[in-house]
Amino acid sequence: MQGKKDYQEKLFASYQLAIAYNLKKYLKFIEKRTKSGAGMLALLFFIKNKCQELERTLVAPLKI
């Protein structure tokens, strides 16, 4: 069972790295276009919600 847990943790970590990389690229792309902080705030809430959802789907089964 330990192998499955390690695999899921590594998978979760790789998802986090991919999200962080894409977020960095996206923020650099829209920096020139964004005039107000409202769009940025909505983006941050969206990313936070997606990370929490991903954590629930990958990490929650490990706690059983």
Side-chain angles (χ1 to χ4, degrees):
M1 195 67 146
Q2 185 67 20
K4 183 178 180 182
K5 183 178 179 181
D6 289 339
Y7 173 75
Q8 287 180 335
E9 288 175 355
K10 288 178 183 178
L11 184 64
F12 181 67
S14 67
Y15 280 136
Q16 286 180 323
L17 288 172
I19 289 169
Y21 175 79
N22 289 328
L23 176 62
K24 180 181 174 185
K25 292 293 183 181
Y26 181 72
L27 291 176
K28 189 174 181 181
F29 172 74
I30 65 166
E31 226 172 51
K32 300 171 191 170
R33 299 175 51 198
T34 305
K35 299 290 182 190
S36 73
M40 195 65 60
L41 186 61
L43 174 66
L44 292 176
F45 278 116
F46 174 77
I47 291 170
K48 179 183 173 190
N49 290 338
K50 288 299 174 184
C51 287
Q52 288 174 346
E53 181 181 323
L54 181 64
E55 183 178 2
R56 279 194 303 267
T57 58
L58 293 177
V59 178
L62 298 176
K63 295 180 182 178
I64 294 176

